[in-house]
Amino acid sequence: MHYPSHQRMIHTGSRSITTWLILITIVLYILYSCNILLFNNEQECPMTTTTLDDTTQDDVHMTSYNISSTSDKNIEHKVLPIENKEQMQDETEKETEQDEDDFREGEGEEQENKSPIVVRLTPEQMAQRQDTELKHIVFGIAASSNLWNTRKEYIKIWWRPKQTRGVVWLDQRVSTQRNEGLPDIRISDDTSKFRYTNRQGQRSALRISRVVTETLKLGLKDVRWFVMGDDDTVFVVDNVVRILSKYDHRHFYYVGSSSESHVQNIHFSYAMAYGGGGFAISYPLAVELATMQDRCIQRYPALYGSDDRMQACMAELGVPLTKEAGFHQYDVYGDLLGLLGAHPVAPLVSLHHLDVVQPIFPSMSRAQSIKHLMESINQDSSSIMQQSICYDKNRFWSISVSWGFMVQILRGVLSPRELEMPSRTFLNWYRRADYTAYAFNTRPVAKHPCQKPFVYYMSKTHFDTASRQIVGVYSRDQTKSPFCRWRMESPEKITSIVVTKRRDPLRWKKSPRRDCCRVLPSRKSSTLFLWVGNCRQGEVTEL
């Protein structure tokens, strides 16, 4: 009787010993793991469901935060600015070796904490970092000697002597005068050795396609970007700087935009930056392009222009187009009013084909129109052409402001969705193509006489030091308005519109948003006062 009882006691004792051994082993493992954590911040103390009396949940979170902070310090050396190619290669090799070591060390280990690591720059690194400035950008302008006397007037308007850097590349020498306010003029290299078989194009496309490479070979110092354009391309240089500042100039970038014509993009490529609208190439990419461009050009003798040859070489290099909506090829005819009156929410970078379209300001020449527009650009280049929409609730008017250019008043209520679409005041590059041949949405020009917009063009602008605001006066176009039978109050009695706004040089460093517009009280029945600027919290464009 005692033997079975004694056996059960031995069996029970052995089970309790086993249990204690397991518990001791777990405790030792936890202590061992935590001990490693103190000396190696890549390990983590495994979290169990057991709550320790002397360790609160807040302590656990604080420990996790400290680990992340320590990890940040260990990887800050990877984001030091690199200013030359040799340093870039050395840094890349070091990063590759470090990544391989980290991968080997982390193989087979469990990654419990998957929260992202934030890379922070030290104060020394922030002090060394420099934003892209105008001095870091070099313009390469493709020009023709036959059109030089006319086209040089466009360049004089936007070029800033002793500030902008660049070269005009011509096919042959032209007569020049001193102090014309123009860039240096050089003659392109001979391209007769290259084949050209396109029957519709001209051999000058070969010369123009090499503008960036020839500009690179001049050996200019401290260059980050090359910007290519035509002699009839007008650049807003401050916005060129704003756009390119978003990108790391140490990497390969090909920045530009497509054509407004859907047919043009199909015929050439949606992946191509149109040269008339202008495009930018980072310095390292220009260096890489120069090593292979002549061979690349020989492979594409049947292409039409210079920009499709450039895109063909970019395709061989594997560099895609980075699209920026502010580069405007303007493959259209007629009046740019509809396009400029509903500019996308993006900085205006360039205007092209100015000899093809009508002057943007009536009763002025094309060059005078651009010079007049520069008055607003000089006041606030970041906001030029930016659209804002508001409503006169008492008179049921829809108002669209294209800042620095013009204001439109329409009877009735048009939604912002309609007003932000360009009205078709222009014709397609292919005359037989209808409105479906545009690469963007458009709306028809109103046929009803009561729905015709009243247009007010910018007549003068100045900065008011007392209110610290820009004051622009917009005068009504002299075109006679058609007779309207509506009983609604007519904007015809409004002869001028005064628009006030504050400068906002940092607007493109924030998330893009259309400006808000408000109708201000006025004592003059012939003058409408508007305010344009950043939207308040909760402000919505609605009637």
Side-chain angles (χ1 to χ4, degrees), residues 325-337:
F327 290 90
H328 295 296
Q329 172 74 7
Y330 284 148
D331 283 338
V332 296
Y333 294 99
D335 194 351
L336 291 179
L337 173 69

Side-chain angles (χ1 to χ4, degrees), residues 3-279:
Y3 179 75
S5 176
H6 178 70
Q7 190 175 17
R8 283 196 300 269
M9 290 174 63
I10 294 174
H11 184 65
T12 303
S14 63
R15 281 195 304 177
S16 63
I17 292 172
T18 304
T19 302
W20 278 106
L21 287 173
I22 292 173
L23 290 173
I24 292 171
T25 302
I26 292 173
V27 172
L28 289 174
Y29 176 74
I30 293 173
L31 293 174
Y32 177 74
S33 300
C34 292
N35 188 48
I36 290 179
L37 178 64
L38 296 175
F39 296 96
N40 185 358
N41 55 19
E42 293 180 358
Q43 300 289 334
E44 292 184 357
C45 181
M47 302 300 295
T48 65
T49 56
T50 305
T51 303
L52 301 180
D53 296 335
D54 57 347
T55 305
T56 63
Q57 194 68 18
D58 292 338
D59 293 333
V60 175
H61 287 301
M62 184 59 70
T63 304
S64 178
Y65 174 80
N66 290 337
I67 294 171
S68 299
S69 300
T70 307
S71 300
D72 294 345
K73 294 177 181 178
N74 291 337
I75 61 175
E76 279 176 351
H77 69 280
K78 295 185 180 181
V79 291
L80 285 171
I82 303 169
E83 294 299 333
N84 58 61
K85 191 172 182 181
E86 293 179 358
Q87 290 180 347
M88 186 184 296
Q89 292 174 348
D90 295 340
E91 188 70 18
T92 304
E93 291 175 0
K94 292 179 181 179
E95 288 185 357
T96 304
E97 294 174 0
Q98 183 67 31
D99 291 342
E100 291 176 353
D101 294 340
D102 294 343
F103 177 79
R104 285 192 293 267
E105 291 175 7
E107 254 182 345
E109 294 181 1
E110 237 178 295
Q111 298 294 329
E112 298 267 344
N113 184 10
K114 295 184 179 179
S115 59
I117 297 175
V118 180
V119 179
R120 300 181 181 89
L121 295 177
T122 63
E124 292 79 10
Q125 291 170 349
M126 290 298 293
Q128 294 173 4
R129 182 182 177 185
Q130 295 181 352
D131 290 335
T132 295
E133 300 176 12
L134 185 57
K135 66 180 181 180
H136 299 128
I137 300 171
V138 173
F139 291 88
I141 304 169
S144 168
S145 58
N146 294 332
L147 301 171
W148 177 243
N149 288 333
T150 302
R151 299 282 180 84
K152 70 179 181 180
E153 299 302 322
Y154 296 132
I155 302 174
K156 289 179 182 178
I157 295 170
W158 65 268
W159 188 260
R160 300 177 183 175
K162 299 182 180 180
Q163 294 184 43
T164 42
R165 304 169 66 191
V167 177
V168 173
W169 294 95
L170 284 164
D171 51 343
Q172 58 185 14
R173 297 190 179 278
V174 294
S175 59
T176 58
Q177 299 177 3
R178 290 184 179 181
N179 302 322
E180 275 194 286
L182 290 168
D184 292 338
I185 297 175
R186 295 181 180 261
I187 307 303
S188 301
D189 290 342
D190 181 24
T191 56
S192 59
K193 64 179 181 180
F194 299 106
R195 292 192 305 140
Y196 187 84
T197 60
N198 192 294
R199 296 181 180 180
Q200 297 178 334
Q202 299 178 354
R203 285 192 61 88
S204 59
L206 296 171
R207 175 181 70 85
I208 296 172
S209 65
R210 301 181 75 253
V211 163
V212 172
T213 296
E214 292 188 13
T215 307
L216 170 72
K217 292 180 179 179
L218 296 177
L220 301 176
K221 302 297 183 182
D222 199 20
V223 180
R224 296 184 179 183
W225 295 92
F226 292 97
V227 176
M228 163 91 183
D230 288 350
D231 49 6
D232 63 338
T233 305
V234 171
F235 288 102
V236 182
V237 292
D238 291 331
N239 286 340
V240 173
V241 175
R242 290 185 177 98
I243 287 293
L244 298 182
S245 295
K246 299 193 302 183
Y247 304 103
D248 190 340
H249 64 278
R250 298 169 297 180
H251 301 291
F252 288 1
Y253 277 106
Y254 168 49
V255 184
S257 188
S258 303
S259 170
E260 291 75 19
S261 170
H262 180 52
V263 180
Q264 283 277 83
N265 292 324
I266 290 177
H267 185 67
F268 293 100
S269 174
Y270 268 102
M272 182 183 88
Y274 280 70
F279 59 84

